[in-house]
Amino acid sequence: MSLDYENDGDFNARLIDEVLSQYPDKTAKRRKKHLGVAKGREAAEQGSDALCETGVKSNIKSIPGVMTVRGCAYAGSKGVVWGPIKDMVHISHGPVGCGHYSWSQRRNYYVGLTGVDAFVTMQFTSDFQEKDIVFGGDKKLEKLIDEVEELFPLNNGVSLQSECPIGLIGDDIEAVARKKAKEHNKTIVPVRCEGFRGVSQSLGHHIANDAIRDWVFDKKDTYLEPSFFDVNVIGDYNIGGDAWASRILLEDMGLRVVGNWSGDATLAEVERAPKATLNLIHCYRSMNYIARHMEEKYGIPWMEYNFFGPSQIETSLRNIAAFFGPETQERAEALITRYQPLVQAVTEKYRPRLDGKTVMLYVGGLRPRHVITAYEDLGMEIVGTGYEFGHGDDYERTGHYVKKGTLIYDDVTGYELENFIEAIRPDLVGSGIKEKYPVQKMGIPFRQMHSWDYSGPYHGYDGFAIFARDMDLAINNPVWGLYDAPWKATHYCDAYGVCSCGLDDE
């Protein structure tokens, strides 16, 4: 459901100039390239430079000294791509801090017995000390792999996630991986994802994809009875159960999901991925590299899909079904029809409470664009959106979602985001944990859109019902009526119903 609205582009352009005026000239000139005002969906069809008046720049090193919420290459590899593969042990090779900070913070749901055949919420580290920096950590890493095999014999493989010191001192983790893989007859994958590589976690995604290509594909004889209806779901990390909600829809229309990675994935699902008929990409930013590789080497086409909100779910189901032919298309239409009563019930309940409410987004991956129509399905309007680590093709895709005049920001600084929010005063902000509490202290409702604020799933029709409920709970929570101090209010009542004007509350 596409709402017909337009944001105040002139106001947003003046707001950008006002915020930039507080910077030194050199910094303002650099940051101006990352901020802009959307021209609208029609202009976006002309290409990425047509999205904004300024042609927003992206995937550039953050300015030293400013607050950025970007992560590092290690976070992109271990925290996003490799970490959710449940039957592998993922070793954070380096000092304990990086592994501890990335420990089980993504809410990647999985089925398995933790510590026996699943290890997602466990943390393994080589715990580098000063002597390891001086003398190297290869022997320590070998010992750690041996201990893992002894303590957790049902693991199906190990990944070695390099932290910054590993690249600086030159440890040969590839040699260790080859040696121990031969000794234990297990898949051991070295990942050169040292945090200093690249400008954000985005390069870590790319490095992790390359590691799958070089160390997993075509290394074992994997048998899979072929079917024309086999698909891989790639780039869904099962946050709050998202992948499970998506899988229900795909299987109900007659498809066989042979790999769902890396959320709730096994190593075997990754190994047999080249045998599928079609790759369905959810998070384009983190997994398009491996999809392009499989298209080039194995001839497997790939397709993006969006299961946020009924409008995009219907479009995606029809696009997927069209690939497989008339029989699947009939199943897709029947599936869409079956869920219409649920969609109608959700919109009838929540749209009157959310209609016309404004939203600002600042997230990573695909969410700054994919969730836009889910909000619009509830009558809400997106007034600003941006990416933490987006690339040019992300902003090109965003142009097809946003309305004319929408404020666009890339790698926004803490100062910029705070001033944008204060000036626009949206009814809701959707961003990450670092932004949550400052925004709430400004008296503005907030939803954590990286891990769904401990809720979810948000994918699929069932997820849309949860999404609508959560947005309503955030915006219409009565706590926001208590934001002003009682002594500053013109009329208030205490807990006993006694009014400030001296009359009982009626």
Side-chain angles (χ1 to χ4, degrees), residues 293-309:
H293 168 72
M294 283 193 275
E295 183 177 42
E296 293 171 3
K297 184 171 182 179
Y298 307 105
I300 304 174
W302 58 276
M303 178 187 302
E304 290 184 71
Y305 73 98
N306 181 351
F307 278 177
F308 287 111

Side-chain angles (χ1 to χ4, degrees), residues 23 66-69 411-420:
Y23 284 133
V66 304
M67 284 294 293
T68 176
V69 297
D411 186 28
V412 68
T413 69
Y415 167 78
E416 292 163 0
L417 185 61
E418 182 177 334
N419 279 270
F420 290 156

Side-chain angles (χ1 to χ4, degrees), residues 60-255:
I60 299 173
K61 182 180 179 181
S62 300
I63 297 175
V66 304
M67 284 294 293
T68 176
V69 297
R70 281 176 166 177
C72 65
Y74 164 85
S77 174
K78 195 263 186 180
V80 176
V81 177
W82 281 100
I85 300 177
K86 61 185 179 182
D87 61 347
M88 295 182 71
V89 169
H90 307 288
I91 295 176
S92 296
H93 186 34
V96 68
C98 298
H100 187 272
Y101 182 71
S102 62
W103 187 358
S104 191
Q105 65 173 354
R106 292 263 299 170
R107 298 185 68 241
N108 306 107
Y109 284 8
Y110 60 93
V111 176
L113 190 58
T114 302
V116 179
D117 59 0
F119 310 94
V120 177
T121 54
M122 300 183 69
Q123 172 55 34
F124 299 84
T125 177
S126 54
D127 190 20
F128 253 47
Q129 303 296 316
E130 184 176 354
K131 63 182 178 65
D132 301 311
I133 300 294
V134 175
F135 297 107
D138 288 349
K139 292 183 178 179
K140 188 172 190 178
L141 180 59
E142 291 182 11
K143 182 179 180 182
L144 175 53
I145 295 172
D146 291 339
E147 290 178 352
V148 165
E149 287 303 311
E150 181 179 355
L151 295 172
F152 305 100
L154 296 184
N155 80 80
N156 285 324
V158 177
S159 76
L160 310 178
Q161 306 290 325
S162 296
E163 299 171 17
C164 288
I166 308 308
L168 295 174
I169 66 176
D171 270 11
D172 192 351
I173 61 172
E174 290 81 9
V176 173
R178 292 188 186 94
K179 177 181 178 182
K180 289 301 172 180
K182 188 175 181 180
E183 285 183 16
H184 298 292
N185 194 28
K186 290 278 180 75
T187 296
I188 300 181
V189 182
V191 189
R192 285 288 184 179
C193 56
E194 292 88 354
F196 57 76
R197 296 181 184 272
V199 300
S200 71
Q201 56 264 59
S202 182
L203 184 60
H205 304 149
H206 199 159
I207 292 169
N209 280 222
D210 289 348
I212 293 172
R213 177 197 67 196
D214 297 336
W215 293 84
V216 177
F217 284 174
D218 303 324
K219 301 301 180 185
K220 292 182 181 178
D221 292 329
T222 55
Y223 176 76
L224 179 69
E225 188 69 33
S227 166
F228 175 67
F229 300 100
D230 289 347
V231 297
N232 291 312
V233 175
I234 299 177
D236 189 331
Y237 304 106
N238 206 31
I239 306 296
D242 282 340
W244 297 333
S246 300
R247 189 170 188 141
I248 289 172
L249 298 180
L250 296 172
E251 292 179 344
D252 279 355
M253 59 190 281
L255 303 181

Side-chain angles (χ1 to χ4, degrees), residues 9 13 33 84 97 110 125 172 197 245 317-318 358 368 374 428 446 461 492 504:
K33 298 176 182 178
Y110 60 93
T125 177
D172 192 351
R197 296 181 184 272
L317 288 176
R318 288 177 174 136
T358 56
L428 179 72
F446 187 95
Y461 289 108
Y492 68 92
D504 291 340

